[in-house]
Structures are given as C-alpha cells and as structure tokens.
Amino acid sequence: MTTSNSQPSAVPSDTKWAFTTRRVDKSDVVGLSMDLGFAVSGDLVLARVTDIGHHKKLQLAEGRPSETYVGDHVVLACGDRYAPDQFEGVAELDSEGADLLAGGGLIGRMRHANERMAPPTRLKPLGLLVDDDGELLNIARYALPARTPSSAITVIGVVGASMNAG
C-alpha cells in the first residue's frame, strides 16, 4: 500500500489524522457523506472539536500526541469502546455532536463514564469519508493481510473483556 502525503480537498489541509487511521491511504478520500446515521464501526469520520474534555491530546497517525484545541479538524474511526476506567460508548453518530471515546481516535456516543472522569471531549461530525465510487471508507479496507501461522508456534492466550484486563 502506498500512502499519499497530500490532503484530499474534502478534508482541510490542517486536519489531524488519528492513530486509528494510520494505514489509510489519504488519496482515496474524494468527498464526504452526510448520512451519519449509516455509520458503522470502522467508518472514517471528519469532525471538528467543539469542547475539550478528558482527552486533551489526540494520538496522531504517526504515533505522536498532539494537543487538541477547539476548532481542530480531525479524522477518526467510528467505534464502540468498553473501558470501565474511562468511557463506555457505542459506534453512533449524531450531527449535533459526538464524543472522543479514546485518545487514539475513536468517535461515538458515550453511554457511561467512570465517576473519576471529566466529561469526554466533544466533536461535531462533519461527514463520513468516501472514495471516488461513493463508498464509505472504513479502516477494514486497510487491514494488514491475513497470514497463515506456522504450526510450530506455541500459542499462549491472555484474555480479558475490558480495559486493564490481562
């Protein structure tokens, strides 16, 4: 996969691309869909920061943290999150506003917050990113190819159901 450094015209040039978008080929973006109600986990969302809450920094696609400011444009992945020490949220968007559920770049609707948490950083979704065929861009498109593991590998599983498990 090749990654273009140029910003598509549908996305402002000063947009911060979150870590969840690190494998996305930005040149695939040609427009925005305003049909926010159709968003599913993994869909890429252009949003504007409206209020700074718990997450004061966003981890960028390059891996470094960046301060967030009201008015920043960001590209994030829509998704669910279950983190009892922070936020539980679902992959739902509303044109009136959404929540930054994780500093790595997850947008959705917060359902519950740990009592120690400040309110989430608020975002205004501006649209879902689309390609030249009008298809919504989803991070699944950019997943690493599946590999067949060697049968000689010992597998040890550590399983947890939420934040801090394992």
Side-chain angles (χ1 to χ4, degrees):
M1 178 191 76
T2 60
T3 301
S4 169
N5 289 330
S6 64
Q7 296 287 326
S9 60
V11 177
S13 62
D14 62 346
T15 298
K16 297 177 179 179
W17 290 71
F19 192 72
T20 52
T21 70
R22 66 193 174 278
R23 292 191 178 91
V24 173
D25 184 344
K26 295 175 186 173
S27 68
D28 288 348
V29 182
V30 299
L32 296 174
S33 168
M34 303 313 294
D35 294 329
L36 299 173
F38 291 105
V40 297
S41 285
D43 283 350
L44 297 176
V45 182
L46 174 65
R48 186 176 62 249
V49 177
T50 58
D51 293 295
I52 303 297
H54 173 71
H55 290 103
K56 295 171 181 26
K57 294 182 180 184
L58 181 69
Q59 185 179 10
L60 300 179
E62 299 80 23
R64 74 174 179 82
S66 176
E67 293 288 331
T68 18
Y69 301 97
V70 170
D72 278 353
H73 286 97
V74 293
V75 174
L76 314 157
C78 184
D80 299 319
R81 185 174 192 213
Y82 181 68
D85 286 356
Q86 288 189 4
F87 303 117
E88 179 209 341
V90 292
E92 294 177 1
L93 299 177
D94 183 327
S95 61
E96 296 303 310
D99 302 304
L100 182 59
L101 299 174
L106 198 62
I107 185 173
R109 181 176 58 83
M110 183 197 66
R111 294 196 326 185
H112 301 286
N114 185 291
E115 62 189 26
R116 297 175 308 205
M117 289 293 104
T121 293
R122 293 287 292 166
L123 309 159
K124 177 162 181 55
L126 302 175
L128 302 172
L129 278 56
V130 298
D131 65 13
D132 57 358
D133 292 324
E135 296 293 320
L136 296 178
L137 292 177
N138 188 291
I139 58 173
R141 180 187 291 197
Y142 306 97
L144 294 174
R147 294 182 61 186
T148 305
S150 166
S151 60
I153 294 177
T154 301
V155 177
I156 300 171
V158 177
V159 181
S162 68
M163 180 178 194
N164 301 331

